[in-house]
Amino acid sequence: MSNTIGNNLLHQSFLSLKALEHQSRNYSSTCIGGNTFLKSQANSPAHKSSISTEFLGNRLTLQKNKLLMGKQRAVSRSTKALLAADTSSTVTEKFNLDKNIELQVDVEFPTSGSASVVDIQVTSSSDSLLLHWGAIKGQKNKWILPRTHPVGTMVYKNKALRTPFVKSGSNSALRIEIDDPAIQALEFLIFDEAQNKWYKYNGGNFYVELPKTESTAPSISVPEDLVQIQAYLRWERKGKQIYTPEQEKEEYEAARMELLEEIARGTSIEDLWKKITSKNDTNENKEELVSGTKSDIPEDLVQIQAYIRWERAGKPNYSPEQQLKEFEEARKELLVELEKGASLDEIRRKITKGEIKSKVSKQLAKKSYFTVERIQRKKRDVMSLLTKFASVSIEEKISSEPEVLSAIQQFAKAKEDLIDGPIMNKQIYKLADKELLVLVAMHSGKTQVYLATNLPEPVILHWALSKRPGEWAAPPAIVLPPGSVSLDNAAETELATSSFDNQHKVQSLEITIEDDSFVGMPFVLLSGGNWVKNRGSDFYVELKIGSPQVQKDAGDGKGTSKSLLDKIAGLESEAQKSFMHRFNIAADLMEQATNAGELGLAAILVWMRYMASRQLIWNKNYNVKPREISKAQDRLTDLLQNVYRSFPQYREILRMIMSTVGRGGEGDVGQRIRDEILVIQRNNDCKGGMMEEWHQKLHNNTSPDDVVICQALIEYIKNDFDVSVYWKTLNDNGITKERLLSYDRAIHSEPNFRHDQKDGLLRDLGNYMRTLKAVHSGADLESSIGNCMGYRAEGEGFMVGVKINPVSGLPSGFPEVLQFVLEHIEDKNVEPLLEGLVEAREELRPLLSQPNDRLKDLIFLDIALDSAVRTAIERGYEELSNATPEKIMYFISLVVENLALSVDNNGDLIYCLKGWNVALNMLKCRDDQWALFAKSVLDRTRLSLASKAESYHKLLQPSAEYLGARLGVDQWAVNIFTEEIIRAGSAASLSSLLNRLDPVLRQTANLGSWQVISPVEAVGYVVVVDQLLSVQNKSFSKPTILVAKSVKGEEEIPDGAVAVLTPDMPDVLSHVSVRARNSKVCFATCFDSCILENIQTYEGKLLHLKPASADVVYSEMKDDAVVTSSDSKEVSSAPSVTLVRKKFAGRYAISSEEFTSEMVGAKSRNIAHLKGKVPSWVNIPTSVALPFGVFEAVLSDNLNKAVAKKLKILKSKLDGGNFSALGEIRNTVLELSAPPQLVKELKEKMQSSSMPWPGDEGAQRWEQAWMAIKKVWASKWNERAYFSTRKVKLDHDYLCMAVLVQEIINADYAFVIHTTNPSSGDSSEIYAEVVKGLGETLVGAYPGRALSFICKKSDLNSPHVLGYPSKPVGLFIRRSIIFRSDSNGEDLEGYAGAGLYDSVPMDEEEQVVLDYSSDPLVVDGNFRRSILSSIARAGSAIEELYGSAQDIEGVVKDGKIYVVQTRPQM
């Protein structure tokens, strides 16, 4: 039973606390057990569980068989054991289950008021027996689950109970007490969990018929209030259990039966009152209830009043005690009305309005008290949500061909070349396939207006001048060009035809204006007998130079559709006249934007967002009718709809544009804005003051501000005409007093209404809000649903004659889901609403990719549903404040599902969703690993959100910065542009939910607030940086504690750093982690943002860090303490390391038998040493090598003279401190050609070692291999390696690079082992990390964590998982060759160079988004134990072979272990 009154607040219900079990998710779900991975498909119509929850087998009809003992029973059900109880005190029956296993069932006849008792005993040595059971009521075969059951009972798939037997000697027994008189029988089977064996009766269920008592209830009714109290007492007596609506009803009827039995024994109603209300006399609610029942107010009126109170309170969650109190408060309110002299009939007429009465009647019929109804989610395959498009580089496609200028553009260019002053205004208007130029400039100190058009018919200019924006005033005679005709308020001048380049003919006119008082020029054209206007309105050109638009350097526009943004910036002065102008210009630019791809659409989005956030002028000196705005809006959204239909890869960004623009007009809704404000004024006698000023503003230029103004008026009226509420609503939505005054038709006054106007104004403004939202709000749910479901409005002055037909092809049941959403949209208990919103989006999703002439309405509905999810989550934070982890996780799963419905390339989110479903089932199955697994899913979800934010930033921020600079947008608005985009979506809500759950999971999984990767005590000055990468090559003069917000895993530890603290989660065995331990630098991840923020407050101060296993204690120190603390660090910061230059031994390739220290590095020698010495189940790949000196020999070959010369010059640049030469050197190395002798020797060695030769597959394959070899050599000059050698003063020229060649294994998993735990230094346990696919995701800069575990060397068969994997991607590859770096600078005394240089596969790896919900390493306990134990045993064997701690890399393929390299653990 739910904790809410819901739409069912009609009878008191006392039976619920926080529910642990949530409604079953309808995706295929999984459950991680200790050793098994079970798929729960009980709800699936397509996949029935192999074990029915009723276990009825094949249905047979048994009518004459006497089953066991007692009365004959004619039944139509499957074969089953039937134990029918007679009226004796106890009935006993025995069954032989299997050989020496015997079952005995005893049924005790209940005494008056007591429960039926069933004792079940099994003679068996097994201690893992479970009773799988349920109860039968009425004629239904379906099991119901009694709420009273033995200790230890678990609910199985919400359809059966499982109770463990209690072992006693050689017997196992349990007792079941049934106190529900409506239960007629029990059915059960016995399950031996250890043997996975079922005990049935002839393939069917055991059936125990419970004894019945004679009905003693006389034909007398019990007062409902008394039944309610008795039900409450039963609920308290049973421990305030969680009841479903069906169980609530059963409890209610059981309470009634108990009271009827008491009456049958002769107890009077009055005595019953005294008896049951004397219990717990301190319960104030019950006392109030008793006193209240003495009134004569009918119960149905109390129920309706309670319902009204609950709705008025926002449908909150009520505890059972609060529910009782609410009924009594409702009763008191009605008593007050009676005391005032009102009759019951008057009260009934007042409160039982049609809508309320129908809702209450509906709930009475349901008998579902205090329970918010829920929709039934359909079962769907979660992978059906997948949308994936090929990734394309974000770069503007710039044509190399010069732009072809039209005749009018050429005319404009020619004029601009002659003008000696500034250009003040320039517009080129589209007139069908022709154009009109209006150019305003200062020439020879005078304002000059140039007009030109290529219309074929003669053109007359009908024009005027304005001293106030928008007015028509006759131009002075001195301004009129020759041949002009003066009219009352205008003039007419014919344009002259001219040819400006002997090819193109245009009609043009020049007007000189010397009077500075004129600010603008309105005009229309007359051509061929037709008036030519600007989309139905007058043309208007400004004559003054406004504030300069380019306020700062706009940059080069890299990463943007620069040409489109430049065009938008050039048209902004026209666009700012009105929304009509802006939307029409945007529509004109849609073709260019679509052709420019994602960057072009990003340009439109940025422009529209700057408009929506009021960074651009909405209306300037232009009067436009609302219907014209609505029409322009409609035109733009139609074009957006068409692009959405034709280019599915752009749907995500198109949704964002449409949500910003709004829907546009339907059924001439735009004109209604103008008309209906008059209806409000007329109906409510409010024609002056603020309402008249708003009326004038609406007539001049309506905007989204009007939605806010209307809402502010409604809130002001609702709050008893409190004008402070009016201003608060405006200010909360970005509208200040200054903004109201800035409108062309300013709003100066505050609202001032009479109290007698309240009801009429609330009614009419509510109706008007619908009209406003229909035009301006793309995310308004009610209007979006109305547009899709259809409506027709008549009368009352609002939306008169507006008829919207339903969208065709809507799925069956969809209208009911939408109706459910609307009914519950304001509920405080938001969980059922969230389910409804997400279900509606799931139903809608297929329609969005199908042809439909009303696609736009469906898109806007989807946008509105998505927006409602975010709003509901924000409203539900209070509900989650004391929620169980399961409830928060369920909320998260709903929001992840919703987000997956909103974004493209959503594979990672879908696998996160599957992970949350697994975590929820683990929790329900009471798996002790649930929190640890859920933490990994949480981490992955955060990474997914971060990746999406990064993609938005890459796509949108460059355009926001470029256009923002061109248009003079406030810098703060530019800086937070992408951040605000993200905040506006459900991703921000999801992030907040993750933050709520994270500390709960960490506490449950005993993870603490820290993961200490390198446990070194440190003292240093705190420095905060965004990225460790940005300071890795810096040297700090003082001992420094770095707080780095981002650590990827491949960085170096900077000189002078004594500690690195980060919220990021690099693997414990990543490069930076190894570097930290080797350099004796404290390195730790902090999971608690509050702790990290507190440490950041010490920036510039001296701090002492003392790490423990899962904690870091820190304290501030005095400056003089640093000298002694840093001495040891200073001494050891630059170890003395020397290299011996290796020489070419005359061989280009050698086999593993020839590996020596003069020929190859430690990596090659170690792998050769393992062959034949490790256990046979540890596989070692075959290897050959290109020894030391081969690179130098190839470089000195005559084939590569030019390359050698170029490298010499670049090395000189590098020696001179020009570090940009590093990249040039690497690229130059790739130009080397292979000497024929190298090719010959390498081929012979590989073939003699039974390795595949790439050249056998064609010359191109050899070229791929040769390029990989050169990339390994070139990595000698990568930045990380170069600066690392400089730090230890290692002579870079002496560094030589051999290349180890191995056949690559397309791994299922890759691992790295440290045979001494690196975090604790414990040599008795092995630490290892495992990733899916190739090991590059483990040792490289790939986000997320690997699966990590430890294993005691004394018990290698019992690995202990420390963390589940959160890496979103894995790398996989075809059968291939890998070329591994093997330098003489690795694994030196005092310097670990491992990992600095590249290993390069011949073929490119495929990056695959990972699904851990089906990965046996994660979900199959036996498989996981087997693999991890094998990895640990391999590590132990290799450590034993070398006699020292080892750092080992390897892979798992088809369950087999392969070790690819080992080195001493540093």
Side-chain angles (χ1 to χ4, degrees), residues 416-481:
E416 287 175 39
D417 290 342
L418 298 174
I419 293 169
D420 59 12
I423 305 294
M424 296 188 292
N425 205 334
K426 177 185 174 183
Q427 298 292 334
I428 296 180
Y429 299 94
K430 289 283 184 183
L431 306 177
D433 60 340
K434 305 301 180 184
E435 293 179 318
L436 167 66
L437 166 71
V438 181
L439 181 65
V440 182
M442 290 298 292
H443 182 60
S444 300
K446 300 175 183 178
T447 301
Q448 202 79 19
V449 180
Y450 304 89
L451 292 99
T453 180
N454 56 352
L455 287 170
E457 300 287 335
V459 175
I460 295 176
L461 177 71
H462 184 88
W463 61 290
L465 291 175
S466 308
K467 290 190 175 181
R468 287 186 296 105
E471 76 168 344
W472 279 72
I478 193 172
V479 175
L480 297 177

Side-chain angles (χ1 to χ4, degrees), residues 1264-1284:
Q1264 283 179 252
W1266 175 236
M1267 180 58 71
I1269 292 169
K1270 291 186 289 185
K1271 285 181 178 178
V1272 175
W1273 286 334
S1275 70
K1276 174 181 173 180
W1277 287 276
N1278 73 51
E1279 282 79 4
R1280 192 180 65 187
Y1282 181 78
F1283 288 112
S1284 179

Side-chain angles (χ1 to χ4, degrees), residues 1347-1393:
L1347 183 148
S1348 58
F1349 73 96
I1350 56 173
C1351 193
K1352 288 292 183 182
K1353 294 173 184 175
S1354 58
D1355 186 6
L1356 294 171
N1357 290 322
S1358 301
H1360 175 68
V1361 174
L1362 299 177
Y1364 285 96
S1366 61
K1367 288 186 180 290
V1369 298
L1371 298 177
F1372 298 87
I1373 199 170
R1374 54 172 284 185
R1375 185 187 179 195
S1376 185
I1377 302 293
I1378 189 167
F1379 301 89
R1380 301 184 185 276
S1381 59
D1382 190 23
S1383 76
N1384 63 338
E1386 299 183 37
D1387 306 322
L1388 301 174
E1389 184 83 30
Y1391 173 69

Side-chain angles (χ1 to χ4, degrees), residues 1148-1165:
Y1148 285 101
I1150 57 175
S1151 64
S1152 59
E1153 292 77 16
E1154 302 169 282
F1155 290 177
T1156 67
S1157 60
E1158 293 302 313
M1159 302 291 281
V1160 293
K1163 187 182 295 182
S1164 300
R1165 298 197 309 275

Side-chain angles (χ1 to χ4, degrees), residues 1388-1406:
L1388 301 174
E1389 184 83 30
Y1391 173 69
L1396 289 176
Y1397 309 102
D1398 296 343
S1399 295
V1400 184
M1402 191 175 83
D1403 294 284
E1404 192 173 339
E1405 304 100 329
E1406 179 188 4

